[in-house]
Amino acid sequence: MWLSWKLLLFLSLTGCLSEYSEAVPGVPTSYAAILRIKSGSSSLAAFNSKNRPRLSSPSLGSVSSPGWRGAAQHYHSPTNLYHFSETFKNDESVDYGPVFVQEPDDMIFPTDSEEKKVSLNCQARGNPTPTYRWLRNGTEIDVESDYRFSLIEGSLIINNPSEMKDSGQYQCLTTNMFGSILSREAILQFAYLGNFSGRTRSAVSVREGQGVVLMCSPPLHSPEIIYSWVFNEFPSFVAEDSRRFISQETGNLYISKVQTSDVGSYICLVKNTVTNARVLSPPTPLTLRNDGVMGEYEPKIEVHFPYTVTAARGTTVRMECFALGNPVPTISWRKVNGHNPSKARLRKSQAVLEIPNVQLEDSGIYECKAENSRGRNVFRGQLQVYTYPHWMEKLNDTQLDSGDQLRWECKATGKPRPTYRWLKNGVPLWPQSRIEMINGVLMIHSVNVSDAGMYQCLAENKYGTIYASAELKILASPPTFPLNQMKKTIIVTKGQEVVIECKPQASPKPTITWKKGDKVLRENKRITILPHGSLRILNASKSDEGRYLCQGVNVFGSAEIVASVSVKEPTRIELTPKKIELTVGESIVLSCKALHDSTLDVTFYWTHNGQPIDFEKEGGHFESIKAQASSADLMIRNILLMHAGRYGCRVQTAADTVSDETELLVRVPDLISGDMESAMAVELNPWVEYEFRVVATNKIGTGDPSAPSRVIRTNEAVPKTPPANVSGRSGRRHELVIAWEPVSEEFQSGEGFGYIVAFRPNGTRGWKEKMVTSSDASKFIYRDESVPPLTPFEVKVGVYNNKGDGPFSPIVVICSAEGEPTAAPIDVKATSLSVSEILVAWKHIKESLGRPQGFEVDYWKDMQQEEAAEKVKTEGNESSILLTGLEGNTLYHLTVRAYNAAGYGPPSTAVHAATKKSPPSQPPGNIMWIQDGSHVSLGWEPVRPLANESDVMGYKVLFRQEGQSNSQVIETQKTSAVVLLPDVGVYIIEVCAVSEGGDGTASPQIRVPSFSGGKVTSAQSTLHVLSTSSSSVTLLLALMVPSTSW
């Protein structure tokens, strides 16, 4: 009954346990990108051949483990880095194989949980939509036959889970018509804590001065437990010191030298780190023998770390070493083959060596030495630091022609060095006659349709496995020709270049042959078969006329097209007169004659200043007169000033186009005579409001202008002013960005004003035109996935309104966007500056494409996934940035990548830096001061930081006059200081510790009056005490008063 009551009281006072009630701080099991612990299985044995360590009681040389919180816990590993084209696979019209969006995570399920179900998540995307199956220990789960299992989308739900039936390794297999991929393995464990055996424990009897080990013998449990010991009755816990030690590996209590005060009853208390359940052992009485006192003897190391301790890089290693002996031994540590890591800490009176964030260079042989006046004892063991596999190169989705060779390489780093295996559609892939697998390289010679599917590369060492996947598509089809390449007749003139297209669609790529008539065509200096299959003939002549046949052949079939070539005499043109000068109101006829091949029809086109003349809308001023088949005339009647400019005649035949121009100058008539009462204003801008005034002049001078006329708007007309300064702008990859200065409203000539953007690849013929309907627009973006970066385009921008199309700007050459940066920054370094600041610096490789506009730094905590990273940007050529507002004593991972208007470049390899520990949270305690006039002598107890806080480097005394905000500061490495108060008034004084992580918590304020420099006599001096705890002040006085000059 006593034990039951004590247990009830103990469980209700969880806040009293302090460090005993907290889970051991640890690292996550999501070790790095796509890392996980490898597990074993039964079937699919060739695939699952490794054993996975379970989370049971760790060895004496342990790695810190997760802090469990009593519900089903997940190990959150980052999503696999499956590499595929996002743009391609975001297109719902494109079919592709499955790609994991979410994979199952390791889970520990408390057996006493109120939620009686387990959910293992799995989600994939693909087109068609993938289906799902699940494996347990390598064997497929029949979801239909067991009512406890159900699938929601891809996730597996287990109702009323049982450790005997359901614990094990789970994998999700997702499939669509293109193949299958297998998820990483997820371990399902069950958390529980059994009861101690109720059998009474025998008393342990030893001599005074002898060492003793009290065994805990914990009950069955999963996963880890925390040990503590109760002495006699709760809440009297055994306090660990140089004489007493509780091993968190064995659970036993070690007393190096028993004293009479140790006699009593000892109870082992264990706590499950997941469920928080606690149980007490039966008491073990400790008594003293009456046959004398144990004499002195040399140390005997009773508990020590293993001969080989393995730890993952970045975790915290704790190694235990404790000895029995009389006198009580002193424990010391050293690294045999070097210096102890500077970050190493000694805990529990030096019985525990703790190395946080262990790195490869921390590996080596460590020695624990126990020593007293009677001798010494030494134990040595080796620390081996390993790293999980990490991808250096991943796979890309690949599309090959039948008969091509596939070469995929996946490359990973890790210690031990990873080995590689391959899966096809979730099943192990083995070497065959066409298939080779060497050191992460997969080669398939002469691929065929049977090789298509989903492939996965596994990189693994004894500590973990990572997956990468890619899809292989095999193209296999006979040659076919698009309709626009079918039978055609090509007419050219002598001396021109002829290109006859022959681009069959086929896989594998077909062999192309050309014939003229019945003879195979031979290539020479004039006649060339281009790489894509088309035929090019330079400097065409009559001998090149005839019937041409192109044939494409591959293993699946053949196809052919026929084209006829006809070579004509080139067309010539005569335009008269060549230059004309007329007065407003006169008329003129321009004559255009064509000398052409008699078998060709000709068409005439007239232009004014480069723009086609619309004979229907020019108010009767223009008339086209066709005298005969090979000539045409242009009559211009009642010429106005606006009719001045360049007039062109363009002659077009089926074989060629030629043109010529003439220039028309229009003179202005003389001034209006004095006896006229009206005049016509010409060459005004269309669709603009005008006011008019009349000014009289004679030989004496000019008079005042008349009052303005009413406002008159001119009629609408076709716009005549093209945009100015047509140029390119930066954009994203595959974009052509065209910019211009908008045409002002006075030159828009009417309503419905907009722009015509025309462009074509440099060296091609046909223009592509796009309408921009906004009159204020100044930019147009053309996107084409097939356009490589920096492709030159000829560009012109025209205008239009409701009356018709206006002129185009002069042709300029603009290049398409260069694209996002292609190189990752190098030499990335991260340096911790304080508890909340890390300085990140890098270098950037200059490259011809994708020049950066700035850089983005992504950073995330060690416990987080990279997807949760915070982001901060720089602009220009900055090569460093200071990250602020970070959490103290936290390991951060950081990457840097360049960006520009086109997008982001690849990230750098991740680097790591840990912020400094937080400054001490405890203020200096028991502050005492004596005032001697304007001098105040201060003393205080030293601040002792907690394990997760920075060490104290010194102290600051801050003082200021009441009502002022700026403090004066005195820095000292002692626990005392003298402050001079220079002026009359009340001063406020505070004391705080100084550490690597910054200033600690300040003490409560002290208010001290300062007299006008007058000195208080020693009889008037008073000792003041500001106590911040219940500790004895008397002892502090005894220690401090003699050591001061008060």
Side-chain angles (χ1 to χ4, degrees):
M1 181 64 188
W2 177 90
L3 185 59
S4 300
W5 180 84
K6 291 296 183 184
L7 176 59
L8 178 62
L9 174 62
F10 175 80
L11 294 178
S12 67
L13 297 175
T14 57
C16 301
L17 292 180
S18 66
E19 68 181 57
Y20 301 100
S21 64
E22 293 187 7
V24 179
V27 296
T29 51
S30 56
Y31 305 99
I34 49 176
L35 293 190
R36 58 187 184 73
I37 301 176
K38 181 77 179 80
S39 64
S41 67
S42 54
S43 64
L44 291 182
F47 170 51
N48 297 322
S49 59
K50 303 287 184 181
N51 290 325
R52 176 175 187 156
R54 293 176 62 82
L55 292 175
S56 57
S57 296
S59 61
L60 294 178
S62 68
V63 180
S64 55
S65 57
W68 306 107
R69 292 293 180 264
Q73 301 289 325
H74 291 268
Y75 294 95
H76 289 290
S77 301
T79 304
N80 281 3
L81 300 180
Y82 293 122
H83 189 85
F84 58 94
S85 169
E86 288 293 340
T87 303
F88 177 79
K89 294 190 174 179
N90 285 334
D91 186 347
E92 294 183 358
S93 66
V94 176
D95 294 336
Y96 60 94
V99 177
F100 279 117
V101 176
Q102 185 178 23
E103 295 184 69
D105 291 307
D106 290 346
M107 174 178 286
I108 297 182
F109 181 78
T111 54
D112 58 354
S113 173
E114 294 181 359
E115 186 178 6
K116 298 300 182 183
K117 67 178 180 180
V118 171
S119 177
L120 295 171
N121 297 324
C122 182
Q123 183 182 352
R125 59 174 171 167
N127 195 9
T129 302
T131 59
Y132 301 88
R133 290 179 289 159
W134 281 83
L135 309 178
R136 175 176 174 265
N137 296 331
T139 302
E140 184 173 348
I141 298 172
D142 188 351
V143 177
E144 300 297 330
S145 64
D146 191 335
Y147 72 93
R148 296 184 311 110
F149 294 105
S150 58
L151 278 179
I152 299 180
E153 294 183 343
S155 298
L156 178 67
I157 310 299
I158 307 174
N159 293 294
N160 298 316
S162 160
E163 181 183 22
M164 181 175 297
K165 294 181 180 180
D166 301 318
S167 62
Q169 306 145 5
Y170 288 79
Q171 286 179 282
C172 172
L173 183 70
T174 179
T175 305
N176 70 6
M177 63 181 290
F178 295 105
S180 305
I181 54 175
L182 196 63
S183 75
R184 62 173 171 241
E185 296 164 359
I187 289 291
L188 174 59
Q189 287 181 260
F190 288 77
Y192 58 87
L193 178 61
N195 290 313
F196 282 94
S197 169
R199 186 179 59 195
T200 302
R201 298 193 174 189
S202 301
V204 177
S205 183
V206 296
R207 293 176 182 176
E208 183 180 351
Q210 186 178 353
V212 69
V213 179
L214 300 182
M215 310 296 288
C216 179
S217 301
L220 295 175
H221 61 274
S222 175
E224 299 124 331
I225 54 177
I226 297 174
Y227 300 90
S228 54
W229 283 78
V230 177
F231 179 54
N232 285 334
E233 62 180 27
F234 184 84
S236 177
F237 282 92
V238 174
E240 296 180 84
D241 52 26
S242 61
R243 200 172 57 84
R244 293 170 294 189
F245 176 69
I246 299 171
S247 171
Q248 291 302 319
E249 309 301 343
T250 66
N252 300 334
L253 170 62
Y254 300 83
I255 304 176
S256 65
K257 176 186 173 184
V258 174
Q259 300 175 354
T260 55
S261 60
D262 295 323
V263 174
S265 179
Y266 290 83
I267 301 169
C268 180
L269 184 147
V270 296
K271 171 189 170 183
N272 189 293
T273 56
V274 172
T275 65
N276 287 327
R278 303 171 179 84
V279 292
L280 296 167
S281 72
T284 301
L286 177 63
T287 63
L288 287 182
R289 292 166 55 177
N290 54 11
D291 54 351
V293 177
M294 183 76 175
E296 293 184 352
Y297 64 94
E298 67 181 12
K300 177 189 177 185
I301 294 179
E302 192 66 35
V303 57
H304 59 74
F305 56 99
Y307 288 99
T308 301
V309 177
T310 58
R313 183 175 63 183
T315 59
T316 297
V317 175
R318 295 181 180 88
M319 294 185 281
E320 296 184 349
C321 182
F322 190 77
L324 310 184
N326 186 4
V328 174
T330 300
I331 306 296
S332 61
W333 295 81
R334 76 183 182 100
K335 186 179 181 184
V336 175
N337 50 353
H339 298 289
N340 284 351
S342 59
K343 59 194 171 184
R345 300 288 183 266
L346 295 176
R347 310 291 187 195
K348 296 189 176 183
S349 300
Q350 305 192 113
V352 176
L353 175 64
E354 179 181 285
I355 307 176
N357 189 24
V358 67
Q359 298 297 315
L360 294 175
E361 57 267 23
D362 298 326
S363 300
I365 298 174
Y366 286 81
E367 176 185 275
C368 157
K369 181 171 67 175
E371 194 170 17
N372 64 11
S373 60
R374 304 297 295 178
R376 66 177 185 173
N377 198 349
V378 173
F379 174 81
R380 289 183 177 181
Q382 186 173 29
L383 172 61
Q384 295 179 349
V385 180
Y386 62 86
T387 60
Y388 299 100
H390 175 74
W391 286 124
M392 303 294 289
E393 290 184 20
K394 297 164 291 184
L395 306 179
N396 291 314
D397 290 336
T398 299
Q399 184 171 283
L400 295 177
D401 289 333
S402 178
D404 285 353
Q405 175 177 299
L406 169 71
R407 187 185 187 277
W408 266 331
E409 181 175 9
C410 57
K411 186 181 296 183
T413 61
K415 184 179 179 182
R417 180 180 297 174
T419 58
Y420 302 91
R421 292 184 289 125
W422 291 84
L423 307 180
K424 179 187 176 186
N425 295 328
V427 176
L429 186 65
W430 303 108
Q432 299 174 19
S433 58
R434 293 186 302 109
I435 300 175
E436 298 179 38
M437 289 174 281
I438 304 173
N439 294 330
V441 176
L442 170 65
M443 288 191 292
I444 304 179
H445 302 280
S446 188
V447 297
N448 55 51
V449 176
S450 67
D451 296 316
M454 299 300 301
Y455 288 78
Q456 290 175 279
C457 176
L458 282 66
E460 59 190 353
N461 62 20
K462 62 187 292 186
Y463 300 106
T465 304
I466 53 177
Y467 288 60
S469 81
E471 180 181 350
L472 174 61
K473 285 188 175 180
I474 305 299
L475 305 177
S477 63
T480 58
F481 286 95
L483 292 176
N484 62 355
Q485 290 186 36
M486 300 308 282
K487 187 174 182 179
K488 60 172 65 175
T489 299
I490 299 174
I491 302 175
V492 297
T493 59
K494 288 181 181 179
Q496 281 189 325
E497 175 185 304
V498 183
V499 175
I500 310 174
E501 279 197 353
C502 180
K503 299 177 182 178
Q505 299 168 350
S507 179
K509 185 177 179 180
T511 302
I512 301 295
T513 56
W514 279 91
K515 291 182 179 181
K516 182 184 178 185
D518 297 328
K519 294 182 180 180
V520 175
L521 203 59
R522 303 295 181 185
E523 292 187 81
N524 54 41
K525 292 182 179 180
R526 280 197 321 113
I527 300 175
T528 307
I529 298 176
L530 300 176
H532 51 69
S534 297
L535 180 68
R536 181 176 64 189
I537 304 174
L538 301 177
N539 192 21
S541 65
K542 280 287 186 180
S543 63
D544 296 317
E545 287 187 325
R547 177 178 176 273
Y548 290 81
L549 180 144
C550 173
Q551 183 180 52
V553 179
N554 69 9
V555 294
F556 298 106
S558 64
E560 58 187 34
I561 56 170
V562 175
S564 296
V565 174
S566 180
V567 181
K568 306 292 184 180
E569 291 293 332
T571 304
R572 290 181 292 122
I573 188 174
E574 294 179 359
L575 178 61
T576 57
K578 281 300 181 185
K579 189 170 183 179
I580 319 106
E581 184 174 337
L582 299 173
T583 303
V584 171
E586 293 182 336
S587 300
I588 187 67
V589 174
L590 303 179
S591 179
C592 183
K593 294 182 179 180
L595 305 175
H596 60 92
D597 191 294
S598 59
T599 62
L600 298 177
D601 293 330
V602 294
T603 306
F604 293 86
Y605 299 92
W606 289 95
T607 61
H608 179 212
N609 292 329
Q611 302 300 314
I613 296 175
D614 188 340
F615 293 96
E616 301 295 328
K617 297 182 179 180
E618 293 295 342
H621 289 284
F622 296 101
E623 181 182 355
S624 176
I625 304 171
K626 192 166 184 181
Q628 52 189 4
S630 298
S631 66
D633 296 337
L634 173 65
M635 174 171 280
I636 311 173
R637 296 188 179 93
N638 193 20
I639 290 175
L640 303 177
L641 283 175
M642 60 185 293
H643 294 144
R646 296 173 290 105
Y647 285 83
C649 174
R650 177 165 57 91
V651 176
Q652 184 171 318
T653 70
D656 59 354
T657 300
V658 291
S659 61
D660 195 8
E661 284 189 343
T662 187
E663 185 175 6
L664 172 61
L665 300 177
V666 180
R667 296 189 298 267
V668 181
D670 296 334
L671 292 174
I672 302 170
S673 64
D675 58 354
M676 294 184 67
E677 295 182 350
S678 65
M680 178 179 293
V682 296
E683 294 192 15
L684 303 179
N685 289 336
W687 199 240
V688 175
E689 292 182 340
Y690 287 92
E691 291 180 337
F692 297 91
R693 294 204 229 187
V694 178
V695 178
T697 183
N698 60 19
K699 63 182 180 180
I700 303 300
T702 301
D704 294 331
S706 68
S709 69
R710 63 183 177 85
V711 175
I712 300 174
R713 179 184 287 275
T714 53
N715 294 331
E716 290 183 274
V718 174
K720 296 186 178 181
T721 303
N725 295 329
V726 177
S727 60
R729 294 287 187 270
S730 62
R732 297 184 178 277
R733 189 180 293 272
H734 308 302
E735 286 184 350
L736 174 66
V737 182
I738 303 167
W740 60 85
E741 288 185 10
V743 175
S744 62
E745 187 176 357
E746 63 182 298
F747 296 109
Q748 293 178 4
S749 301
E751 292 185 331
F753 183 82
Y755 301 93
I756 304 170
V757 181
F759 50 93
R760 64 186 178 189
N762 207 1
T764 60
R765 292 187 176 181
W767 291 91
K768 181 173 287 189
E769 294 186 349
K770 298 291 182 180
M771 307 290 285
V772 180
T773 58
S774 171
S775 61
D776 298 326
S778 61
K779 184 171 69 174
F780 172 75
I781 298 175
Y782 171 68
R783 182 171 180 82
D784 186 343
E785 296 290 338
S786 65
V787 175
L790 300 178
T791 299
F793 280 79
E794 291 182 317
V795 176
K796 59 183 180 179
V797 181
V799 291
Y800 72 92
N801 62 17
N802 289 345
K803 287 293 185 179
D805 295 347
F808 279 89
S809 65
I811 296 174
V812 297
V813 176
I814 297 173
C815 290
S816 61
E818 62 180 340
E820 65 274 6
T822 57
I826 61 172
D827 292 343
V828 179
K829 297 178 181 177
T831 305
S832 176
L833 300 184
S834 71
V835 67
S836 62
E837 296 176 319
I838 292 177
L839 178 65
V840 186
W842 60 88
K843 295 179 182 177
H844 185 68
I845 302 173
K846 292 184 179 180
E847 48 190 326
S848 59
L849 299 180
R851 290 162 292 187
Q853 294 176 353
F855 297 88
E856 179 185 86
V857 178
D858 292 11
Y859 58 97
W860 65 98
K861 300 177 191 174
D862 190 46
M863 300 288 287
Q864 295 177 327
Q865 297 186 16
E866 186 174 354
E867 290 77 7
E870 300 283 342
K871 303 177 188 297
V872 61
K873 287 185 176 181
T874 69
E875 293 185 358
N877 293 322
E878 295 289 337
S879 60
S880 65
I881 189 172
L882 182 64
L883 303 180
T884 60
L886 307 177
E887 287 190 19
N889 193 25
T890 301
L891 178 64
Y892 282 86
H893 304 278
L894 309 98
T895 61
V896 184
R897 58 178 177 171
Y899 70 89
N900 58 20
Y904 291 90
S908 66
T909 302
V911 296
H912 321 284
T915 50
K916 309 293 186 185
K917 289 186 177 181
S918 302
S921 57
Q922 297 298 319
N926 292 332
I927 299 180
M928 299 187 304
W929 73 96
I930 291 179
Q931 185 176 2
D932 188 4
S934 60
H935 290 79
V936 177
S937 299
L938 295 154
W940 56 86
E941 283 187 348
V943 173
R944 305 201 182 279
L946 301 178
N948 62 344
E949 296 176 344
S950 296
D951 292 336
V952 175
M953 301 166 59
Y955 297 89
K956 283 184 181 179
V957 179
L958 300 92
F959 61 99
R960 58 181 171 85
Q961 270 194 312
E962 191 172 45
Q964 295 185 357
S965 58
N966 295 327
S967 295
Q968 299 182 58
V969 178
I970 296 175
E971 296 191 11
T972 178
Q973 293 185 340
K974 302 178 181 179
T975 56
S976 62
V978 177
V979 178
L980 174 63
L981 309 179
D983 299 319
V984 176
V986 177
Y987 279 80
I988 295 174
I989 302 177
E990 298 172 289
V991 183
C992 68
V994 178
S995 72
E996 188 181 44
D999 294 346
T1001 303
S1003 65
Q1005 295 180 349
I1006 302 169
R1007 296 168 57 84
V1008 180
S1010 174
F1011 307 102
S1012 55
K1015 187 166 186 175
V1016 180
T1017 65
S1018 60
Q1020 295 172 307
S1021 299
T1022 304
L1023 175 64
H1024 303 268
V1025 179
L1026 180 64
S1027 178
T1028 57
S1029 70
S1030 59
S1031 303
S1032 171
V1033 176
T1034 305
L1035 176 61
L1036 183 61
L1037 289 173
L1039 291 173
M1040 294 188 61
V1041 172
S1043 64
T1044 65
S1045 59
W1046 304 338

